C-alpha cells in the first residue's frame, strides 16, 4: 500500500504570522493534528503540529501572543506519494515525528500521519489473523 492511498488530502495551510490560538482553532475545527506552514518570504514549507502548540502552552507561553513562526518545524522530512506505508512509517520512527508532508513535483498534496497508516494496516492485520496468517 502506498502513501497516496492513506494520506489526507484535506490540508490546512497557514502563515507564520498566525497566532498559536488561531492555528489551534483551525486545526480543531478540521479535526486534524498538523498544518502546513507556508512562508511567502522564504518560499519554504514547514509544519506545525498539535504537539508544538501543546509544548508552547505547557511552557507557559501565551497562545494569543505566540506566532506560528516561532514554533514551526522547518527541517521537514517529506514523503512522496509513491512511497510505501512501510517507508513512511520508517521515516517517522527514525525521525521521532508523527506527520509527513506529501510532495508531488515539489508541491504539497497531502499529509500522512501515523493514524492514517494504522487505519490502513489494522484491517489488513485483522484479516490475516482471521485466516491464520499471523501467529501469536
Amino acid at each position: 500500500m502506498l502513501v497516496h492511498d492513506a494520506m489526507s488530502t484535506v490540508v490546512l495551510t497557514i502563515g507564520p504570522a498566525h497566532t498559536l490560538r488561531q492555528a489551534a482553532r483551525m486545526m480543531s475545527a478540521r479535526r486534524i493534528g498538523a498544518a502546513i506552514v507556508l512562508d511567502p518570504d522564504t518560499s519554504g514549507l514547514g509544519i506545525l503540529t498539535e504537539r508544538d502548540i501543546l509544548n508552547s502552552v505547557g511552557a507557559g507561553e501565551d497562545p494569543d501572543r505566540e506566532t506560528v513562526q516561532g514554533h514551526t518545524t522547518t527541517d521537514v522530512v517529506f514523503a512522496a506519494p509513491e512511497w510505501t506505508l512501510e517507508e513512511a512509517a520508517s521515516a517517522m520512527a527514525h525521525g521521532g515525528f508523527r506527520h509527513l508532508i506529501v510532495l508531488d513535483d515539489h508541491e504539497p498534496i497531502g499529509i500522512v500521519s501515523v493514524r492514517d497508516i494504522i487505519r490502513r494496516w489494522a484491517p489488513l492485520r485483522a484479516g490475516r489473523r482471521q485466516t491464520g496468517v499471523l501467529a501469536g
Side-chain angles (χ1 to χ4, degrees):
M1 192 163 300
L2 302 178
V3 165
H4 184 269
D5 301 319
M7 71 181 190
S8 299
T9 56
V10 177
V11 177
L12 173 62
T13 303
I14 59 177
H18 282 94
T19 67
L20 290 184
R21 184 174 311 278
Q22 290 170 325
R25 282 185 180 142
M26 289 184 277
M27 290 165 63
S28 178
R30 290 166 180 80
R31 300 178 52 90
I32 58 174
I36 294 175
V37 180
L38 179 58
D39 188 344
D41 294 334
T42 65
S43 300
L45 292 177
I47 191 165
L48 179 77
T49 68
E50 58 202 354
R51 182 174 292 172
D52 298 323
I53 296 169
L54 182 66
N55 286 340
S56 175
V57 172
E61 297 173 338
D62 183 349
D64 291 313
R65 292 180 187 250
E66 291 295 313
T67 62
V68 166
Q69 180 176 11
H71 301 278
T72 298
T73 301
T74 56
D75 58 339
V76 180
V77 175
F78 299 101
E82 64 273 4
W83 278 17
T84 65
L85 294 185
E86 289 82 6
E87 289 172 305
S90 177
M92 290 179 196
H94 179 73
F97 44 80
R98 298 178 295 165
H99 299 86
L100 290 168
I101 298 173
V102 182
L103 295 182
D104 190 18
D105 198 27
H106 305 290
E107 293 295 322
I109 61 167
I111 292 181
V112 66
S113 70
V114 170
R115 183 176 293 148
D116 296 328
I117 293 171
I118 290 170
R119 283 183 182 147
R120 290 298 179 147
W121 280 349
L124 296 175
R125 291 186 59 83
R128 288 184 192 142
R129 240 181 270 120
Q130 290 174 354
T131 60
V133 174
L134 292 178

